[in-house]
Amino acid sequence: MSDLSTFLSTKKWPPQHPDRIQLYSLPTPNGVKVSIMLEETGLPYEPHLVRFDSNDQLSPEFLAVNPNNKIPAILDPNGPGGKPLPLFESGAILLYLADKAQRFMPQEAAARYQAIQWLMFQMGGVGPMFGQVGFSTSSRARTTRTSGRATVISGKRSGCSACWIATSRGVIG
Ligand SMILES: N[C@@H](CCC(=O)N[C@@H](CS)C(=O)NCC(=O)O)C(=O)O
C-alpha cells in the first residue's frame, strides 16, 4: 500500500482508510460533481470536509493538493503505476475516475469525444456562468447589470443542455 504520510494534506485530514481515495471537498456545485461520481462508480473513498468558514482552502495542507485553493481535490493512493496521485479541477477528476472505474466514458471514439465535449461545456460554459448568477444575485454583489447578464446567459445554457438531454439517446452508459 502507498504511504500517504509524505502528503501534507494528510497532516490536516488524517486518513482513517489510507487505501481509499481521499476526497477534499464541500457540498458546493463543483464539490458534489465528484461526490456523485464516486458514489455512482462505487470506488472506495474517504471524504474530508474543507471548511470555507475557517479558510481551510487557503491552508498550506490544502494548497499542497491544489495550489489554486479550490475544492474539489482528491489524493488517490493507488494512482497510475500504483503511485499516489493528487488531482484537482472537477473535470479532470471526473475523467480520471471514469477511466479508473471503466464507467461513463464510451470506448467508441465519436461518442467518447461527444462525452468530453459536454464535460467541457459544463466546465467552461455552464459552471462558471451559473456561478456568476449565484454570486451576482447574492447580497455580496447585487448589481443589476452583472446579475441580469449572467441570468440571461445561464438561461440559454440551461436551454441548450435541456435540449440535448431531451433529444439525445445519451452518450454515456
Ligand atoms: N474549475 C474548478 C472550480 C472549483 C471552484 O470554483 N470551487 C469553489 C467552490 S464551488 C471553491 O473552492 N471556492 C473557494 C475559494 O474560491 O476560496 C473546478 O471545477 O474544480
Side-chain angles (χ1 to χ4, degrees), residues 28-30 33 52 57 69-72 89-91 123:
T28 68
N30 284 309
K33 278 191 265 174
F52 288 172
Q57 76 278 23
N69 66 269
K70 306 265 186 239
I71 61 96
E89 279 298 321
S90 57
M123 295 298 298

Side-chain angles (χ1 to χ4, degrees), residues 129 131-152:
M129 195 48 66
Q132 283 192 46
V133 172
F135 176 75
S136 65
T137 57
S138 73
S139 52
R140 282 195 291 161
R142 206 181 297 278
T143 68
T144 312
R145 203 152 161 252
T146 53
S147 128
R149 178 177 147 72
T151 305
V152 168

Side-chain angles (χ1 to χ4, degrees), residues 64-82:
V65 277
N66 184 358
N68 190 37
N69 66 269
K70 306 265 186 239
I71 61 96
I74 61 166
L75 172 59
D76 185 355
N78 193 22

